[in-house]
Amino acid sequence: MDYVIEMLDIRKEFPGIVANNNINLQVKKGEIHALLGENGAGKSTLMNVLFGIYQPERGQIRVQGQDVNITSPNIANDLGIGMVHQHFMLVDTFTVTENIVLGSEPKKGLKVDIAEAEKEVQRISDQYGLKVDPKALVRDISVGMQQRVEILKMLYRKADILILDEPTAVLTPQEIDELISIMKSLVEEGKSIILITHKLNEIMAVADRCTVIRRGEGIGTVNVNETSTNELASMMVGREVSFKTEKQPAAPKDVVLDIKNLVAKDNRDVDMVRGLDLQVKQGEIVGIAGVDGNGQSELVEAITGLRPSEDGEILLNNQSITNMKPRKIYEHGVAHIPQDRHKYGLVLDYSIGENMVLQTYYQPPFTTYGRLNFNEIYNYAERIIEEYDVRTPNSLTMARSLSGGNQQKAIIGREVDRSPDLLIAAQPTRGLDVGAIEFIHKKLIEERDKGRAVLLVSFELDEVMNLSDRIAVIYEGKIVANVEPDETDDQELGLLMAGSQRQKVGEPQ
Amino acid sequence: MSVLQEIIPSAFLFAAPLIFTALGGVLSERSGIINIGLEGLMVMGAFVGIVVNLELAPFMMENFGSTGKLLTPWISILVAAIVSALFASLHAIATVTFRADQVVTGVAINFLALGVGLFLIKQIYGKGQTDMVDAPLNSTDIPLLSDIPFIGPIFFEGTYYTNWLAVILAFVVWYVIFKTPFGLRLRSVGEHPIAADTVGINVNKMRYIAVMLSGFFGGIGGSVFALTFAQNFSHGTISGQGFIALAAVVFGKWHPLGALGAAIFFGVAQSLSVIGSGIPLLENIPSVYLQIAPYVLTILALVGLVGRAESPKALGTPFIKGSR
Amino acid sequence: MILQKLKGTWIPLVAIGFGLLAGAIIMLLFGYNPIQGYIALWNGAFENPYFTGETIRLMTPYILSGLAVAFAFRSGLLNIGVEGQVFVGWLAAVWVGTAFSLPAFIHLPLAILAAAVAGGLWGFVPGYLKAKYQVHEVIITIMMNYIALYSTNAIIRNVLTDQGERTDYIAESASLKSAWLTELMEFSNIHFGIILAIFSALFYWYFIEKTKYGFELKAVGFNRDASKYAGMSVKRSIIMSMVISGGFAGLAGAMEGLGTFGYMSLQNSFTNIGFDGIAIALLGGNTAIGVILASGLFGVLKNGALNMPTSAGVPHELVDIITALIIFFVAASYMIILFREQIISMYHKLKHKLSNISSKEGK
Amino acid sequence: ACGTSDEGNADGDSGEEKNCEPSDDAINVAMVTDVGGVDDKSFNQSAWEGLQAYGEEYCLEEDEHYDYAQSTQDADYEPNLNRLTGQDYELVYGIGYKLTEAIEKVAGQNPDTNYALVDEVASEMDNLTSITFKEHQGSFLVGVAAALKTESNQVGFVGGVDSPLINKFEVGFEAGVKSIDPSIEVDVRYAESFDDAGKGRQIANSMYNSGVDIIYHAAGGAGNGVFSEAKDIKTNDPESYVWVIGVDRDQYDEGTVTVDGTDYNVTFTSMVKRVDIAVQDVAERMMEGDFPGGENIEYGLSDEGVSVADTNEEAYTEEIATAVSEWEQKIIDGELDIPSTHDELEEFLNNL
Ligand SMILES: Nc1ncnc2c1ncn2[C@@H]1O[C@H](COP(=O)(O)OP(=O)(O)OP(=O)(O)O)[C@@H](O)[C@H]1O
Ligand SMILES: Nc1ncnc2c1ncn2[C@@H]1O[C@H](COP(=O)(O)OP(=O)(O)OP(=O)(O)O)[C@@H](O)[C@H]1O
Ligand SMILES: [Mg+2]
Ligand SMILES: [Mg+2]
């Protein structure tokens, strides 16, 4: 059998941790090969080894049957390997084209031939149906387009073997569909794809085969059409998992959050929230469904005081919290799981313990007479770590050294444990594995059942549908529909999110 | 004589060394390496420029007469630039290869340059400062251009080729940074080194080049300063110009033409403060106000006009391959 | 945790070793006797109580300027303005010291306070501009240095004196000097400032490590967005950090005004106390105890350097070179770590070889 | 001690063999520089030359019988004085007014050693003498010369830091100029630094542009900028009429310009301050058992403590020299009191 890629018996260690051990990965030409594993299982590490960013301690790599020694991304490029990294590798201040040609620029005299480059980018993007604006600045484009820029980067370099590390984690359902069709057309062109994802249904939908790794060890490779999501999931976690989160019907009571005619601007001074109304009651989960960039982030930031409200009113338990300082808003009983955990959620250079009191450090018992009480802080942190199953050596460990999933669990523990009246969860499971997702979903429902109001913002329809007691669809800064999850389906939600009016059931807007 | 004709040449003269040095700063910082050592790089440039000039001038004048004398400062500047580039490689080794704190290494560069310069002066000349050079840079009227009415006398009469070299270099650096593949790569390294690495750009090499270029430019700046102003080398020859150049880098928002403008702004502010006491209108203002005027003006300009400058994102962070 | 902290301390020690070694090599290259040179350095710093006292006197302002830089560093700010803050602190201390006649227990604290306040004000400007208008603190602090230099000179000339070169001596009641200390150290200029400096270091440690304010400041230093998210006031932290940093620097000025000199004279250029402070802060890893030790090193080197030309004929600039190299080596601690790894692996290889040999011999 | 010896000056290097024995009654002397350092081309250097000359005269060894300690900051003065005292030097000089406080203190603590302060009057002590110079007298004479030389009737003064000491130069100069012709304008500016040659040059540029043709500088390193500017003007136009008056030492060498093989010199004259003579003089008086403790010896025109350089014979003409020496005589004879402060200047000008 011809394999385009063979990684045999790979071992990669980091100080104090074996990220990959005995891993085998064989990719056939023209297939989409999924790589599955929990957070921290070692998927990205394995791909970074293949792409020449890390050197393995042991093992062998063959490309098109040839033994190779990939010591740098350059060599990987030359071998036709391209990679879209889990965290995008784009320079914000550059244009799309500049990002794509960076490192292999077409020249005219001494100059970068930008016009030629733009033409080429346009050509490739037309060829594969990747809609991008070659002249746009990367910082101004949506995440989905950034994703496509990353793919273009590989295609521009004429890569035949494409590695996509969790490409769908940040995409909207529509964008995911687009990506899937892009991937299919790429393999038709004879390219091979290694796809990392936590979403089993995506694997079922596009992949031909799937290799599973667990805690750094290779578990095995299966043909996708001979397996089921359940089997994949249990291979991955090593036990049975359930997908549909069990929950009782909601029993909503008093209104906790009441937003009236809210207006908020984004960083470029453009109105993003434009007269939005929203209510969340005790004991219910309200899911905000919408395509990224319709004012979700601005809405959450306005509620939490991180962004000024230009107009309208935000009431919490009938008291206005409009334009209060974030600290005052927390003190009024709001908790917030932020959407970007590295940027907002954690001080990566603080210990996990210190991060657990990031909002409450100044209150007793953590501070008495201005002095921090480290015993109290670390005891408290140990309790959260215990309760929320945060996998870390101890509470003195730096937040930076935890895996993404565990960082997220820590944040959720911190926010939930404050017993807020209103819990805002923005993309709480982004990039997490099914085990972690299951855990977090359970926690959110538990909170609801304790009588808290939960506002969920997510780009993943499944999540919104699964968890919410009520779905509010956001479009261009307004709530355009309020629907019950069991009275709607993906199809209809998708249309609403794209701005079409609702016709079937519920109150007309 | 018009006030402009008085202020501009003197401002320009003062600005030229700042422009060179600030361009170096822009290059280095664009690659992500903070360069507080600009002062030290200027010191090194001044030291080498003066010593080479002193040693070379007799030979050149003997063999090539007045052409030799004209050439001497240029050779001195070139040698100073090269030596300073080598000297700056220390900063590169420390910050790039050994991931040293860039601010602190810069401070060390400043100490080291002065220490080495004075130590060697003592070894060479047996005293703490050199004599004045015989072949300094001299002003000239630029042929043709100085005949242009109005503009000519202000910009091209009694000016220095180094002034214009500075301006031209600012445009060259601008072109290089924003138009060439090298510049694109340089900027990517300063903004997102990990991304640059994944497309096969050698981040460390780019940073070495940028820092050494900053030494090269700083060396030009220092030697031009020494060869126009003090014309000798001592502990006080370079007294803060490097820091002003650093300010010009930030003031100019890490843009070569911005740095050019900022340096000229400093030059004008400085010559206003100098000339002010000779202008009847300003004569009665206590001199301290004129002395602090350039610095106060800078602050006001930053607050009022320029506002927030966005530095290269990776500025100050060492690149560790494979880090997340 | 203690082990983790201790792990870092060997690096500066090795760096100092490397720096001195490099200095010795330079001395050999240029025909000086390094042993004599270093003996002269040592004697210059410690030969008798007088010089020891002078060394301590020299390190006193360094402790404070080091703390000033370190404090700002901790909240992610680079205070290059310590030079200027030292000047205004010095001036304020001397001003209060000369203008009033008060009992010592009021006068001295008042003069010290004035210095801290003046330095703090000088730090407030860049802090405020950074917080409010987002202008880079580096450039503002550089500008503020020059403004301080020229304004203090103007005030000395026009306000504190009638076109004089230096102010009057401060009143006895505002002086940090004490007959007792002076006698103990054979008339050296050591003064009680050292105690103030050490207390400041204690304060620094307590504030940064143990209080909620320190917690907030460090969080802002590490991650502004997360701090803002967590409800901390980023602006207030930035301003507070620059003010306190400037306050430390002002105290360093008070050491000169109330301790070493007892007056302030027209300044021709900067004192370097602030620039040295940057190096000291790093050398000390931005910790209180580290800053004290690093200041000690600077005190010894600078004071000892003065003795090198007269006692060993070595130009004192050599010490500047050595100091710079030490800073380099500390900054590039990664090099030292690599160096250690190299040595360890060499040691293991050697051991391996030796055991191979011995096992062969065994056969 | 350091490196190669400079052309022929008595560096005292161990290299050269001496064919004489140190004189028995010679005393061991040393000096502490201010931050300018021993090579400042100014009074520190001049003082050291005085000590070297003294060493030469009595066949002494540097480092053993005479030496200097260099200060890098103001706080170094006292330790340096103490260090030299501890090394058993019998007479220790402090060079520069900045050492006043330090030397007073050290002298008080070490009654067995003698001290001498240059450039400032110290408080009275048996083992401390003060050496000052009547810079205003010398400055007056170069002012006279400048007034006779100027064609534009505009002259300039560039000072380092505006301070009483530098004011003496300024005031004397202005008095001299106005004594010849009260209508001559004197443009006075300060660089506010002794180091910043850039500023010195910009000031000079501005002055020459505004018509000044002679600049007297008392600005140390910043004064180099004045020379640079004048030399640049001269290089471009050898016919141009620009002059610099040097300070402290004869700055003739600083003024040389070669244009197309012809040598010119922009140094019109210099106000020379003979610290070397003064230093040697005090040492010799101590040798003779006549240490002037508690006194202030003021070196002026009469004892050649200050003088006017006449090296540039072409510029500093016979005529000017004659006129200057007439004024000099008047001063020496006490017929004329030269002002040394702004207040005195005002009075002086009123009486013209
Ligand atoms: N540069 C590194 N230094 C130290 N440890 C690392 C490094 N990179 C990864 N690790 C560790 O190696 C293990 C595997 O990480 P990796 O990023 O490969 O996981 P992953 O399977 O991609 O997880 P996720 O789904 O969260 O992206 C984790 O425990 C991680 O903490
Ligand atoms: N990324 C950054 N780099 C440099 N400085 C920053 C950065 N982010 C914030 N700052 C500084 O922090 C200051 C405070 O930020 P911001 O304007 O977000 O404050 P705020 O919390 O909204 O305060 P307020 O509620 O009082 O308006 C800014 O003015 C800026 O000087
Ligand atoms: Mg991953
Ligand atoms: Mg705000």
Side-chain angles (χ1 to χ4, degrees), chain D residues 49-342:
Chain D
E49 283 167 3
L51 283 195
Q52 286 175 323
Y54 170 79
E56 183 108 325
E57 172 116 21
Y58 298 97
C59 198
L60 306 177
E61 289 285 346
E62 187 181 330
D63 287 353
E64 207 181 318
H65 303 114
Y66 65 100
D67 203 355
Y68 71 89
Q70 186 143 339
S71 309
T72 55
Q73 50 184 354
D74 291 348
D76 293 344
Y77 301 143
E78 217 186 290
N80 272 338
L81 289 166
N82 270 306
R83 179 165 292 122
L84 294 174
T85 305
Q87 288 171 0
D88 295 332
Y89 286 99
E90 292 151 279
L91 170 58
V92 181
Y93 295 89
I95 314 297
Y97 71 90
K98 290 192 154 186
L99 279 83
T100 313
E101 288 75 20
I103 206 165
E104 282 171 349
K105 185 173 163 203
V106 175
Q109 289 159 358
N110 298 282
D112 296 338
T113 309
N114 284 337
Y115 297 88
L117 174 67
V118 172
D119 253 8
E120 181 63 274
V121 184
S123 47
E124 247 183 71
M125 267 181 253
D126 282 348
N127 62 335
L128 173 59
T129 187
S130 307
I131 301 169
T132 55
F133 297 86
K134 297 176 180 160
E135 292 94 348
H136 46 294
Q137 292 186 344
S139 301
F140 182 90
L141 294 185
V142 295
V144 166
L148 295 170
K149 186 84 180 166
T150 179
E151 291 184 345
S152 63
N153 274 4
Q154 278 172 282
V155 297
F157 174 82
V158 178
V161 173
D162 190 358
S163 60
L165 179 65
I166 303 300
N167 290 164
K168 271 162 95 176
F169 293 78
E170 174 203 328
V171 162
F173 179 68
E174 190 164 348
V177 171
K178 304 272 183 186
S179 299
I180 298 296
D181 180 355
S183 72
I184 298 178
E185 276 176 47
V186 184
D187 188 351
V188 174
R189 300 196 211 170
Y190 282 86
E192 206 58 17
S193 161
F194 286 107
D195 292 329
D196 192 344
K199 208 133 176 214
R201 177 151 188 189
Q202 279 188 315
I203 293 175
N205 174 279
S206 159
M207 283 184 175
Y208 285 131
N209 272 342
S210 67
V212 166
D213 54 5
I214 303 175
I215 299 177
Y216 175 35
H217 90 89
N224 280 1
V226 179
F227 279 100
S228 310
E229 179 66 22
K231 282 153 71 176
D232 183 61
I233 296 174
K234 200 78 182 171
T235 308
N236 277 298
D237 177 10
E239 298 303 306
S240 57
Y241 199 78
V242 289
W243 300 104
V244 183
I245 298 174
V247 76
D248 288 347
R249 305 169 68 248
D250 183 356
Q251 292 196 291
Y252 182 77
D253 286 344
E254 271 82 347
T256 49
V257 196
T258 317
V259 188
D260 300 328
T262 320
D263 287 336
Y264 300 89
N265 196 306
V266 296
T267 306
F268 168 45
T269 173
S270 302
M271 201 291 285
V272 182
K273 188 165 148 183
R274 300 299 300 268
V275 185
D276 52 343
I277 293 186
V279 163
Q280 198 173 351
D281 183 44
V282 170
E284 278 169 353
R285 280 175 72 174
M286 181 168 160
M287 267 174 78
E288 289 155 11
D290 176 30
F291 181 73
E295 285 178 37
N296 169 30
I297 326 174
E298 232 189 324
Y299 291 86
L301 288 172
S302 46
D303 35 23
E304 288 176 59
V306 293
S307 63
V308 178
D310 53 8
T311 328
N312 193 345
E313 285 168 7
E314 228 172 290
Y316 192 74
T317 57
E318 276 297 324
E319 200 183 333
I320 296 175
T322 320
V324 167
S325 44
E326 274 166 25
W327 284 94
E328 182 173 4
Q329 201 53 47
K330 269 196 226 168
I331 300 170
I332 293 174
D333 295 344
E335 283 171 37
L336 189 64
D337 262 342
I338 308 298
S340 63
T341 64
H342 282 120

Side-chain angles (χ1 to χ4, degrees), chain C residues 39-108:
Chain C
I39 289 177
L41 180 82
W42 178 262
N43 286 343
F46 296 117
E47 192 169 18
N48 54 38
Y50 172 81
F51 289 114
T52 310
E54 285 299 315
T55 302
I56 295 173
R57 190 265 304 157
L58 204 52
M59 73 184 272
T60 306
Y62 283 146
I63 294 177
L64 290 158
S65 69
L67 291 175
V69 176
F71 196 89
F73 255 177
R74 278 296 181 96
S75 49
L77 300 167
L78 178 56
N79 183 2
I80 309 196
V82 175
E83 287 294 340
Q85 293 147 10
V86 165
F87 275 152
V88 295
W90 185 345
L91 184 81
V94 169
W95 200 332
V96 172
T98 51
F100 304 102
S101 66
L102 292 165
F105 72 95
I106 302 176
H107 201 180
L108 180 58

Side-chain angles (χ1 to χ4, degrees), chain A residues 38-45 86-87 165-166 196 198 431, chain B residues 324:
Chain A
E38 284 183 287
N39 291 124
K43 306 177 295 292
S44 300
T45 304
Q86 183 169 3
H87 305 282
D165 192 351
E166 293 194 36
I196 299 180
H198 294 297
Chain B
R324 308 194 284 182

Side-chain angles (χ1 to χ4, degrees), chain A residues 74 94 102-105 112, chain B residues 24-35 85 88-89 91-93 95-97 102 176-215 314 317 319:
Chain A
N74 272 340
F94 282 12
L102 180 64
S104 37
E105 307 83 358
V112 180
Chain B
V26 168
L27 282 166
S28 160
E29 302 219 338
R30 277 282 176 178
S31 82
I33 305 288
I34 300 173
N35 205 336
S89 71
H91 188 50
I93 294 171
T95 57
V96 178
T97 306
Q102 300 174 359
V176 167
I177 289 184
F178 290 103
K179 298 291 170 196
T180 66
F182 173 82
L184 191 69
R185 292 170 185 200
L186 183 82
R187 284 183 290 139
S188 74
V189 161
E191 292 285 337
H192 198 334
I194 303 175
D197 183 57
T198 60
V199 294
I201 293 168
N202 188 334
V203 174
N204 288 351
K205 191 172 118 193
M206 290 304 291
R207 289 185 165 181
Y208 262 93
I209 294 174
V211 172
M212 290 181 69
L213 277 176
S214 83
T317 42
F319 171 65

Side-chain angles (χ1 to χ4, degrees), chain C residues 190-212:
Chain C
I190 184 173
H191 52 80
F192 278 123
I194 184 68
I195 294 173
L196 182 81
I198 288 172
F199 268 106
S200 302
L202 269 175
F203 168 81
Y204 173 95
W205 165 79
Y206 185 82
F207 189 93
I208 288 281
E209 303 295 344
K210 299 290 171 199
T211 70
K212 58 177 182 180

